[in-house]
C-alpha cells in the first residue's frame, strides 16, 4: 500500500518529460538548511530539509537537495534499468523531499519561475522578482565567518528578517528571496515558522538538473487553490488517478498527514 | 584590504533642480570592454560600507541607475561582482553619469565556520544516541525513547519517520528479522534492554548498489545490552456461537548474536491462514514453475468474492519459527519453519447449465465438503551482502497432505467423492549480482522438484458405458503419480548508448516430467479391477528444453518511446508414452517479436499501441493420451500430437487528463486472435457427465476486451465520481455433443462509484455494478442473464482513536429471485491511549443471511453457485504487546 502511494506521490517516472539543464563552470553551490513548522498549531512539528541554491552567471535554481538526487536517479534508471531486469525500482530507495518545487531565477527577467508537482502533475507559475520591499538596517554581525547586515521585508503575509553579506556580491537568496546587495545567508520569519540558514558554500564544476517540460501553466492563486484542495481532499484526489481500495486506517493516516500541513510559507496572496 | 584602483573615463555633471541625486552609468570589463551584468552597486557614506543609502544591480547590458536622497557632501559608490575585484569611488553628492571598468579576479569563498556545540556523536553517516542518557522514568518500551530523539517521529500506524521520511530498515544488532513488521519490536522491546540507538543516514540496504544509487533514507539499528530480550505480541479474539476464537501469539527472542521469532495462530472465524503460509514460501517470480497441477478434484464451489469470514467454516492451527543469525562478516543465515493443520467445511448448491441450441442440459448439485490439510514447510536463506557483490540463495521445502471428503446429490443420486493429494516440493533460488567493469550483471537460477500423488475415489461408480458396459457399479478409483524437475538459468545486463537502451538476456530452462495414471473399478460381486487397456492408463515421459536469447531495445525521444523486444526461442519437446510406445520429438525455433510505441500527442493526451506474436506448446497437462477421471463427472484424454497455439495480440491505450478541472479518463482495447492445431471435444449426458477429448482439427479463437474509465472531482459535493465500463467478448470453436459449434460469450459491466467526504469525520464509498452476460452458440442466443450489485461503505472517525466502519451490500440477478440478498458488516476499532492495546469489535453478517450467490459463464457452461454462509456473529479482539 505504502509503495503504491509512494509511486503515485513522487510522480510516475515514465510519464514526465523533462528538459535537461546543466550548470557548468564555476557554479556556486550554496546549501541551505530549512527548518519549518508544517503545522501552525504544533510547535513540535518541525522538519528540516537540505536545499540548494545553484548560481551560474545570469541565472539560479533553488531546489531540494534530494529532489536533485532524485533527478539523477531517474536518469540513471532510464539508462540502466528496465522493468523485469535485474535491477528494478523496488531495489532502489528513491530520495523523497517535502519540497518538490524548483525555483528558477533568470536575472534578466522580472519574473521568477516556480515549477511544482502535486499528485503526479507538474505545474508552472511565476511571482514577480521584486517581491519584497527590503529595508536595510544598520545592524550587522558575523555569521559563520561572513560579515552580514540585517534587512527586513514582507512577503505573502509574513515579515522576514534576513542577513546578507556584501562579501558575496550576488543579489540572490533561498526560496524566492532576492534583491539585497549581497547573498542572503540567513532568513527567518517573525513567527520562526520558516528558517533558512546557509550551511555550506562552494564552487562546483557541473550540476545537472531537469525542468519539467510537460507542465500546466497557471497563476499563483490557481496553484495555491489546487494545492489547498489536495491538502483537504487527498483521498479523492488520489482516487482520480488510481483506483485504490482504501482501508479506514489509510484514509485516516493520509488525511491527517495532509491536514497537518496547514502552514505554507505563503500565508496570504499579498 | 581591498585594492584601490580606479579609472574614470568620463564624468558628466548634470544640474538637477531637486535634492535627489541621480547616478547612472555602465559597468565594463577592463580587459575586453564587455559589459558586466548583474553586479552589485551600493551607495554608502564614505569609508563606511555598511551605511547603505541606495543599491542596485546592473542590468543585462551592464547599465545601472540609482536615486540617492542624502544631505551628505560626498558619497561613496561601491562596485562588486563575484568575477571581478571590488572597487569604490568617492564623489560629490551631485548627479553623475559614470562609466566604470573593473578588473577580472575570482572570488574566494570562505569555508563556513560551524558554530554551536554538538550534543550527539556523529561518525560518518551514523549518529549514535546513548539510550540511558535519553531515557525518562516513564519510558517503558524503546518506541518511547525513539519518539524523543531529534528528527524522529512515529506515526499512529507505527511507521518510523526520520526527517519526515519513513526509515527503510529497522535492524536489531544489524539483523533484520522482522522486516516491515518492525513495530512489533519497537513497541515491545523494553527500553532498559537497549544500550544504543544508531541512526544510519543515507542507508542503502543492498551494498553493491551503494555506489550506483543515492538514497536519503535512514535506517535504525538497535544495540542491545548484553542480555536476552524476550518480548511479544498477542491478539486474542472471542465471539458468539458457536464459541469463536481467534488467537495469535508471537513471542520473540533477541540476542546480540541471534534472533528468534515464533508464532502460533489459531482460529475458527474463517480467516484463512494457509494463504499466509503461501506468501511466506512462494514468491511471484517462480509461479510459472511452481504451478501445481490439479489432476483430480472434488466438485468445487466457486469462492464468493466476499471476505472469507462470512462463508468459510474452518478450524485452523499454525505454528511458525524464524531464526536469524550472522555466520560471518557479510553473511547471514535465516531459517524458517512452519506447520499448519486446517479443516474447512463448505455447504453449497450449484446449478450448472450446458448451453446448447439443441437441448440444454441442466444439473443441480447439493454438496457438503470437508477438507483436511496438513502442511510442513521450511526455508533456509543465505545472504551475502558486501560492497562488491550481492548473493541470496533460498532453499525451500514443503510437504503437504490434503484430503477432501464430499457428499454430493445429483438428480437424487448420492455420491461420495474423496480425494487424497499428498505432495512435496523442494526448490532452490539463487540471485547473484556482481560487477563486471562498470556494468552490473545479474545471474538468476531456479531449481524445482515436485512430486505429487493424487487419488480420487467415487462411490457409486460413474461413466457406466466406459467402465461397466452400461451397468451400475460400486466404486471407481483414479490414481495419479506425477513428478517434475525444472531448472531456469538467466543472465542479463543493460547498456545505454545515447538514446538507445539495450538489454540482452540469455535464459535456458529445462523441464522433465513423469506421469503415471491408472483407473481401478470394483463391484460388490468382484474384486478390484485394474483397467489395463492403454485407453485408461498413462506412463508418460515429457521433456522440454527451452533456450531463449533476447535483445530488448528501447529508444526514447521527447515525445515518444519505442520498445522492441526480439526473442529467439528454441523449444525442444520430447514425449514418450511407455505403454503404447507412441511418442514425438518436436524441435522448433520461433521468433516472437513484440513492439510497443507510446506517444504524447499533446498535453494530457497519451496514446500507446502494442503488438506481439507468441507461441505456446503443449505441457504434460494436455498431452496424456489415456483417460483420466478428473472429477466425478468429468473424464478427459488428449491426443499424442503436441498442442501448438499461435497467438497475435494487439492493444491500444488512450489516456486523457485535465488536472485543473479534475477530469481523468482512460480507454483501452485488447484484441487477441489465436490458431490451434487441436480442438476440444466434449460429450455431456443428462447427468452432466462430461467426456472430454481432443481431435486434430485446426481451429481458431479470438477475444476482445474494452475498458473505459472516466473520473471527475465534483467540488460542490466534495465527491469523486468514477464511471467504469468493461466489455469482454470471447469466441472459440469446440465440438459439443458431436456437433462442431462456434461459442461466443459476451459480457458488459457498468460500474459507477462515488466517494464522498461527508464531513471531516466521515467518508462514504458507494458503488453499483450492473453486468449482462450473453452466450451465443452458432450465432443463436442461448443465455441472457443480468446481475446487479450495490455496495455502500461508511467510515466514521469518531475520534483519533476510534474508527467505525459499516459495509452493506445488496445483490440481485434475474436467474434466481432472492428478495433478501443483502449483507451488512460492522467493525469498530479503539486504541487505548498510552497503552499498547487495541480493541476491535466486529459484527459480521448482521442481517443473518444464509447464502450467497455467484454467477459465472465460460464457453457454453453457465454456473450458479449458492454457498451457505456462517450465521450472524460478534467477535471481540484484543491486541496487546508483552515484554
Amino acid at each position: 500500500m505504502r509503495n503504491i502511494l509512494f509511486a503515485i506521490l513522487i510522480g510516475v517516472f515514465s510519464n514526465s518529460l523533462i528538459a535537461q539543464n546543466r550548470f557548468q563552470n564555476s557554479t556556486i553551490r550554496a546549501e541551505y538548511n530549512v527548518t519549518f513548522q508544517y503545522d501552525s498549531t504544533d510547535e513540535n512539528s518541525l522538519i528540516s530539509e537540505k536545499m540548494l541554491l545553484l548560481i551560474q552567471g545570469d541565472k539560479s535554481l533553488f531546489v531540494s537537495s534530494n529532489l536533485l538526487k532524485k533527478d539523477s536517479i531517474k536518469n540513471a534508471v532510464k539508462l540502466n534499468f528496465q522493468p523485469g531486469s535485474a535491477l528494478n525500482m523496488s531495489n532502489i530507495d528513491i530520495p523523497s523531499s517535502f519540497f518538490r518545487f524548483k525555483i528558477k531565477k533568470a536575472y534578466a527577467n522580472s519574473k521568477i519561475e516556480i515549477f511544482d508537482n502535486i499528485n503526479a502533475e507538474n505545474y508552472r507559475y511565476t511571482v514577480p522578482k521584486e517581491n519584497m520591499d527590503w529595508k536595510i538596517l544598520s545592524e550587522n554581525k558575523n555569521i559563520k565567518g561572513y560579515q552580514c547586515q540585517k534587512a527586513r521585508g514582507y512577503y505573502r503575509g509574513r515579515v522576514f528578517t534576513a542577513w546578507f553579506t556584501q562579501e558575496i556580491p550576488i543579489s540572490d537568496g533561498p526560496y524566492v528571496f532576492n534583491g539585497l546587495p549581497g547573498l542572503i545567508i540567513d532568513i527567518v520569519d517573525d513567527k520562526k515558522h520558516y528558517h533558512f540558514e546557509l550551511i555550506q558554500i562552494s564552487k562546483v564544476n557541473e550540476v545537472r538538473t531537469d525542468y519539467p517540460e510537460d507542465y500546466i501553466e497557471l497563476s499563483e492563486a490557481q496553484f495555491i487553490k489546487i494545492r489547498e484542495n489536495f491538502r483537504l481532499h487527498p483521498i479523492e484526489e488520489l482516487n482520480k488517478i488510481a483506483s485504490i481500495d482504501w482501508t479506514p486506517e489509510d484514509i485516516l493516516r493520509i488525511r491527517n498527514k495532509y491536514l497537518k500541513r496547514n502552514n505554507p510559507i505563503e500565508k496570504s496572496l499579498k | 584590504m581591498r585594492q584601490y584602483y580606479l579609472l574614470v573615463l568620463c564624468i558628466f555633471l548634470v544640474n538637477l533642480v531637486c535634492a535627489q541625486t541621480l547616478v547612472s552609468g555602465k559597468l565594463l570589463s577592463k580587459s575586453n570592454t564587455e559589459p558586466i551584468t548583474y553586479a552589485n552597486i551600493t551607495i554608502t557614506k564614505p569609508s563606511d560600507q555598511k551605511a547603505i543609502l541606495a543599491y542596485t544591480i546592473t542590468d543585462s547590458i551592464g547599465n545601472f541607475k540609482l536615486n540617492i536622497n542624502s544631505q551628505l557632501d560626498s558619497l561613496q559608490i561601491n562596485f562588486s561582482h563575484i568575477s571581478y575585484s571590488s572597487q569604490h569611488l568617492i564623489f560629490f553628492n551631485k548627479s553623475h553619469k559614470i562609466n566604470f571598468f573593473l578588473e577580472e579576479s575570482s572570488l574566494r569563498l570562505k569555508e563556513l565556520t560551524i558554530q554551536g556545540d554538538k550534543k550527539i556523536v556523529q561518525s560518518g553517516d551514523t549518529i549514535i544516541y546513548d539510550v540511558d542518557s535519553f531515557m525518562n522514568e516513564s519510558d517503558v518500551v524503546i518506541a518511547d525513547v525513539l519518539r524523543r530523539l531529534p528528527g524522529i517521529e512515529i506515526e499512529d500506524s507505527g511507521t518510523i519517520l526520520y526527517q519526515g521520511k519513513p526509515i527503510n530498515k529497522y535492524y536489531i544488532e544489524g539483523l533484520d528479522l522482522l522486516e516491515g513488521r518492525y513495530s512489533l519490536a519497537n513497541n515491545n522491546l523494553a527500553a532498559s534492554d537497549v544500550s544504543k540507538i544508531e541512526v544510519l543516514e543515507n542507508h542503502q540496504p543492498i551494498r553493491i548498489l551503494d555506489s550506483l544509487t543515492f538514497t536519503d533514507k535512514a535506517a535504525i539499528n538497535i544495540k542491545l545490552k548484553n542480555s536476552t530480550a524476550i518480548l511479544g505480541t498477542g491478539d486474542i479474539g472471542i465471539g458468539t456461537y458457536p464459541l469463536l476464537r481467534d488467537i495469535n501469539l508471537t513471542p520473540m527472542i533477541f540476542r546480540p548474536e541471534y534472533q528468534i521469532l515464533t508464532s502460533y495462530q489459531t482460529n475458527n472465524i474463517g480467516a484463512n491462514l494457509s494463504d499466509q503460509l503461501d506468501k511466506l514460501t512462494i514468491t511471484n517470480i517462480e509461479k510459472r514453475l511452481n504451478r501445481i497441477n490439479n489432476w483430480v478434484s472434488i466438485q468445487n464451489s466457486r469462492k464468493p468474492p466476499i471476505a472469507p469470514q462470512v462463508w468459510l467454516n474452518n478450524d485452523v492451527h499454525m505454528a511458525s519459527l524464524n531464526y536469524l543469525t550472522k555466520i560471518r562478516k557479510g553473511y547471514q543465515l535465516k531459517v524458517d519453519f512452519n506447520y499448519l493443520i486446517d479443516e474447512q467445511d463448505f455447504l453449497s448448491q450449484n446449478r450448472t447449465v450446458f448451453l446448447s441450441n439443441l437441448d440444454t442440459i441442466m444439473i443441480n448439485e447439493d454438496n457438503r465438503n470437508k477438507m483436511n490439510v496438513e502442511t510442513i514447510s521450511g526455508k533456509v536463506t543465505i545472504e551475502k551482502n558486501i560492497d562488491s557483490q550481492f548473493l541470496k540463495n533460498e532453499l525451500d521445502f514443503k510437504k503437504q497432505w490434503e484430503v477432501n471428503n464430499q457428499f454430493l446429490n445429483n438428480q437424487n443420486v448420492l455420491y461420495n467423492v474423496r480425494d487424497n493429494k499428498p505432495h512435496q516440493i523442494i526448490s532452490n533460488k539463487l540471485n547473484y549480482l556482481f560487477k563486471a567493469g562498470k556494468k552490473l550483471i545479474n545471474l538468476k537460477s531456479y531449481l524445482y522438484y515436485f512430486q505429487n500423488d493424487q487419488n480420487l475415489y467415487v462411490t457409486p461408480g460413474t461413466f457406466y458405458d466406459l467402465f461397466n458396459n452400461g451397468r451400475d457399479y460400486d466404486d471407481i478409483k483414479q490414481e495419479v503419480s506425477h513428478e517434475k524437475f525444472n531448472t531456469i538459468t538467466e543472465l542479463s545486463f543493460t547498456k545505454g548508448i545515447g538514446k538507445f537502451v539495450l538489454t540482452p538476456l540469455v535464459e535456458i530452462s529445462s523441464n522433465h516430467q513423469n506421469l503415471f495414471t491408472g483407473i481401478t473399478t470394483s463391484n460388490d460381486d468382484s474384486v478390484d479391477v485394474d483397467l489395463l487397456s492403454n485407453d485408461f492408463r498413462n506412463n508418460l515421459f515429457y521433456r522440454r528444453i527451452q533456450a531463449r536469447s533476447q535483445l530488448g531495445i528501447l529508444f526514447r525521444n521527447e515525445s515518444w518511446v519505442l520498445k522492441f523486444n526480439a526473442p529467439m526461442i528454441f523449444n525442444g519437446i520430447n514425449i514418450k508414452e511407455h505403454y503404447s510406445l507412441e511418442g514425438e520429438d518436436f524441435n522448433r525455433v520461433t521468433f516472437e517479436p513484440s513492439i510497443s510505441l507510446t506517444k504524447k500527442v499533446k498535453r494530457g493526451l497519451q496514446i500507446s499501441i502494442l503488438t506481439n506474436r507468441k507461441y505456446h506448446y503443449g505441457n504434460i497437462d494436455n498431452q496424456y493420451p489415456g483417460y483420466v477421471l478428473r472429477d466425478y463427472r468429468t473424464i478427459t484424454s488428449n491426443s499424442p500430437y503436441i498442442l501448438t497455439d499461435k497467438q497475435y495480440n494487439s492493444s491500444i491505450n488512450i489516456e486523457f487528463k485535465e488536472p485543473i478541472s479534475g477530469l481523468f479518463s482512460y480507454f483501452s482495447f485488447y484484441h487477441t486472435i489465436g490458431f490451434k492445431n487441436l480442438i476440444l471435444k466434449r460429450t455431456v449426458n443428462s447427468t452432466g457427465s462430461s467426456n472430454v477429448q481432443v481431435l486434430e482439427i485446426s481451429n481458431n479463437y479470438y477475444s476482445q476486451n474494452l475498458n473505459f474509465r472516466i473520473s471527475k472531482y465534483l467540488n460542490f459535493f466534495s465527491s469523486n465520481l468514477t464511471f467504469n465500463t468493461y466489455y469482454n467478448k470471447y469466441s472459440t470453436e469446440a465440438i459439443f455433443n458431436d456437433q462442431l459449434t462456434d461459442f461466443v460469450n459476451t459480457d458488459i459491466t457498468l460500474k459507477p462509484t462515488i466517494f464522498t467526504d461527508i464531513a471531516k469525520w466521515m467518508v462514504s464509498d458507494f458503488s453499483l455494478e450492473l453486468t449482462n452476460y450473453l452466450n451465443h452458440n452458432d450465432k443463436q442466443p442461448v443465455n441472457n442473464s443480468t446481475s446487479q450489485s450495490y455496495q455502500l461503505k461508511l467510515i466514521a472517525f469518531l475520534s483519533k482513536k476510534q474508527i467505525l466502519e459499516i459495509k452493506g451490500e445488496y445483490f440481485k440477478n434475474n436467474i434466481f429471485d432472492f428478495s433478501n440478498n443483502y449483507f451488512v458488516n460492522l467493525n469498530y476499532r479503539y486504541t487505548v491511549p498510552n497503552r499498547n492495546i487495541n480493541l476491535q469489535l466486529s459484527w459480521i453478517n448482521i442481517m443473518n443471511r444464509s447464502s450467497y450467490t455467484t454467477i459465472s459463464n465460460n464457453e457454453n457452461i453457465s454456473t450458479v453457485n449458492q454457498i451457505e454462509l456462517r450465521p450472524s456473529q460478534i467477535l471481540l479482539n484484543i491486541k496487546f504487546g508483552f515484554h
Side-chain angles (χ1 to χ4, degrees), chain A residues 15 17 66 80 86-87 93 95-96 108 121 144-146 149 167 179 203 233 236 239 243 249 255, chain B residues 38 49-50 55 80 107 110 113 165 168 216 440 442 494 558 600 603 664 709 757 760 797 829:
Chain A
N15 282 347
L17 293 173
N66 281 332
N80 287 307
L87 292 171
D93 276 302
S96 59
E121 196 60 51
K144 293 168 187 170
Y146 281 96
Q149 203 164 342
E167 290 177 48
K203 279 186 191 173
H233 309 284
E236 285 90 332
N239 272 343
S243 290
E249 284 77 11
R255 275 180 146 202
Chain B
Y38 315 116
Q49 277 200 23
K50 287 182 187 93
Y55 63 92
S80 57
L107 174 85
K110 288 186 273 185
T113 46
K165 295 141 212 161
N168 59 7
D216 72 321
L440 206 56
N442 194 210
T494 305
E558 278 73 40
K600 209 134 211 175
R603 237 222 77 73
F664 288 77
R709 176 188 147 100
D757 252 339
K760 276 225 156 114
F797 307 103
R829 265 159 282 186

Side-chain angles (χ1 to χ4, degrees), chain A residues 132-141 147-154 160-166 170-171 178-184, chain B residues 40-45 48-57 66 78:
Chain A
M132 284 174 107
D133 195 9
W134 289 111
K135 215 164 233 105
I136 294 177
L137 307 168
S138 57
E139 212 174 311
N140 59 77
K141 72 173 174 191
Q147 266 310 314
C148 295
Q149 203 164 342
K150 192 175 182 177
R152 278 171 70 77
Y154 175 90
F160 286 91
T161 302
W163 293 89
F164 67 95
T165 181
Q166 292 194 61
I170 299 167
S171 180
N178 76 107
L180 283 166
L183 187 70
I184 298 170
Chain B
N40 253 340
I41 298 172
T42 56
I43 304 286
T44 56
K45 281 185 197 165
D48 181 7
Q49 277 200 23
K50 287 182 187 93
I52 298 171
L53 302 167
Y55 63 92
T56 188
I57 60 168
L66 275 163
N78 309 284

